[in-house]
Amino acid sequence: MRVAVLLLGLVVVCSAMAVTEGFNITRILANHPEFSTFNHYLTVTHLAGEINRRNTITVLAVDNSGMAEVLAKHLSIFSLKNLLYLHVLADYFGSRKLHQITHRSAVVSTLFQATGAAPGTTGFVNITNLRGGRVGFGAASEESNEANLESFFVKTIDDVSYKIAVVQITKMLRSPIAEAPTPAPNQYNLTLLMAKKGCTVFANLLASIPAVETAFEESVNGGLTIFCPIDQAVKAFEPKFKNLTVEGKTSLLLFHASPFYMSLQMLKTQNGVMTTLATDSYKNYNMTAQNARWSPSRRRPAPPRSPGR
Ligand SMILES: *[C@@H]1O[C@H](CO)[C@@H](O)[C@H](O)[C@H]1NC(C)=O
Ligand SMILES: *[C@@H]1O[C@H](CO)[C@@H](O)[C@H](O)[C@H]1NC(C)=O
Ligand SMILES: *[C@@H]1O[C@H](CO)[C@@H](O)[C@H](O)[C@H]1NC(C)=O
Ligand SMILES: *[C@@H]1O[C@H](CO)[C@@H](O)[C@H](O)[C@H]1NC(C)=O
Ligand SMILES: *[C@@H]1O[C@H](CO)[C@@H](O)[C@H](O)[C@H]1NC(C)=O
């Protein structure tokens, strides 16, 4: 549901590389019926896909009664997604690491933090080792890292090669910010979002081909990342663009977006091949993102090479 509009400052090239064999949170939780509600909402919010794409991660899961407590609040699916984001730590915390926190307490960033929608420290979870070997969890407050430690470690559900941990906690964390009403995706105006980032010319190109505009809008629900080239770059490329066939233009524009949400931070940590809106069963219009040294004063961002002819 979230949209990332990123300026092309990263090196983006076409290539076809092997897919890395990932893990599948849906399958892991499917073996544990007591987490079926939590699992269901990871799927309907499309969070499962985001989790599966991460390399080191910890999922704080609650059982069906814990979820029932949250569902009783009748949050919109979008607010619920934010709350679930807060339950995915952007680092590995297996049982051993949880019980041996350096200085007994740590503040860990979550995928809620990565959405950019979490003000102050609200995207962080405070984990504290308590007396008697208990491990407490709480959402950091807006002003400080201190938290009401009201949820506790229960057990490890799964631990994949010391990189991915799925652990049960007693109840969902509470966060007024994550639970606050949030706009539904169709309230996002992509043209406006891109214009704000200096991509007006690119936005106008999208709007000039209705099939492309529709494809972008329809992808927002499942998460979307747009790599929008700045006006200067698009203007320089426009004469060539005008020469392309409609199919060529369509592919090129669709190539500038990936059908899942990635913040800049996520993109930096999870380099590799990703599909684009232009990828289909015949067209290998995948994109590869890689970290690179980049000096804005010497090099200018340019649109990636046309995937088509
Ligand atoms: C993950 O597992 C579920 C259930 O087995 C399956 O429906 C889904 O397609 C899998 N996802 C991926 C990305 O393999
Ligand atoms: C976590 O919260 C507890 C309880 O409010 C607080 O005492 C502790 O200092 C916090 N931890 C960190 C690292 O800020
Ligand atoms: C989005 O914003 C632009 C610029 O303000 C406006 O022209 C357009 O009608 C808006 N689109 C939608 C779907 O609201
Ligand atoms: C556009 O196509 C025409 C005819 O094929 C060619 O002469 C011209 O150089 C092309 N312009 C650009 C900018 O590629
Ligand atoms: C790239 O695109 C092809 C063709 O559409 C697709 O079959 C393949 O799975 C993609 N590869 C990766 C690594 O995403």
Side-chain angles (χ1 to χ4, degrees):
M1 69 159 218
R2 304 200 152 263
V3 184
V5 179
L6 303 170
L7 294 182
L8 272 179
L10 296 122
V11 178
V12 181
V13 288
C14 308
S15 109
M17 264 172 47
V19 203
T20 47
E21 192 55 44
F23 80 112
N24 183 333
I25 184 72
T26 311
R27 202 176 301 143
I28 289 173
L29 290 173
N31 296 327
H32 305 270
E34 68 271 33
F35 299 104
S36 59
T37 310
F38 187 81
N39 202 9
H40 171 75
Y41 282 98
L42 288 187
T43 301
V44 300
T45 56
H46 301 281
L47 212 61
E50 281 188 52
I51 292 171
N52 294 344
R53 281 189 289 274
R54 310 285 296 204
N55 296 323
T56 50
I57 208 155
T58 304
V59 179
L60 306 175
V62 299
D63 65 12
N64 296 344
S65 65
M67 277 305 284
E69 215 174 289
V70 166
L71 294 176
K73 297 183 187 177
H74 300 290
L75 303 176
S76 75
I77 195 76
F78 310 108
S79 301
L80 184 59
K81 183 172 187 178
N82 276 345
L83 187 61
L84 288 170
Y85 267 127
L86 188 68
H87 289 72
V88 185
L89 310 180
D91 198 356
Y92 167 80
F93 277 91
S95 171
R96 196 188 159 102
K97 193 169 162 190
L98 281 175
H99 287 86
Q100 296 174 358
I101 304 262
T102 317
H103 307 305
R104 309 189 74 85
S105 185
V107 175
V108 181
S109 84
T110 68
L111 292 199
F112 184 40
Q113 166 73 12
T115 65
T121 57
T122 52
F124 292 84
V125 167
N126 173 319
I127 307 175
T128 298
N129 287 169
L130 303 163
R131 281 176 191 281
R134 285 211 304 172
V135 182
F137 296 83
S141 78
E142 198 164 354
E143 307 79 32
S144 84
N145 288 330
E146 302 205 341
N148 286 325
L149 304 167
E150 52 195 355
S151 186
F152 303 95
F153 174 84
V154 179
K155 65 170 193 269
T156 299
I157 300 166
D158 205 341
D159 197 315
V160 184
S161 54
Y162 301 104
K163 283 186 169 172
I164 290 149
V166 186
V167 305
Q168 181 185 0
I169 58 173
T170 50
K171 56 190 276 198
M172 289 283 274
L173 307 176
R174 278 191 302 173
S175 161
I177 303 288
E179 294 169 34
T182 172
N186 61 10
Q187 290 172 252
Y188 288 103
N189 182 329
L190 292 181
T191 310
L192 214 57
L193 273 178
M194 285 187 265
K196 273 193 207 154
K197 299 277 182 172
C199 302
T200 308
V201 183
F202 182 75
N204 290 341
L205 291 184
L206 290 189
S208 70
I209 304 181
V212 172
E213 198 177 28
T214 309
F216 272 69
E217 278 164 6
E218 283 177 348
S219 304
V220 171
N221 251 322
L224 179 68
T225 302
I226 303 173
F227 298 91
C228 74
I230 56 171
D231 288 349
Q232 197 185 5
V234 181
K235 276 182 192 148
F237 184 72
E238 240 179 341
K240 279 191 185 161
F241 182 82
K242 288 204 169 120
N243 251 6
L244 297 174
T245 61
V246 175
E247 296 88 88
K249 286 177 182 167
T250 302
S251 297
L252 181 68
L253 294 172
L254 292 177
F255 181 69
H256 283 76
S258 244
F260 43 83
Y261 171 83
M262 275 176 299
S263 65
L264 192 54
Q265 198 185 3
M266 287 162 81
L267 203 58
K268 280 179 184 161
T269 53
Q270 308 172 251
N271 282 303
V273 185
M274 59 184 119
T275 57
T276 68
L277 293 184
T279 304
D280 67 20
S281 40
Y282 332 91
K283 296 177 190 155
N284 189 340
Y285 291 168
N286 301 326
M287 183 193 283
T288 301
Q290 264 164 0
N291 289 325
R293 277 180 192 281
W294 181 65
S295 148
S297 59
R298 280 189 282 130
R299 276 209 256 158
R300 290 205 175 133
R305 271 167 286 156
S306 160
R309 48 243 80 185

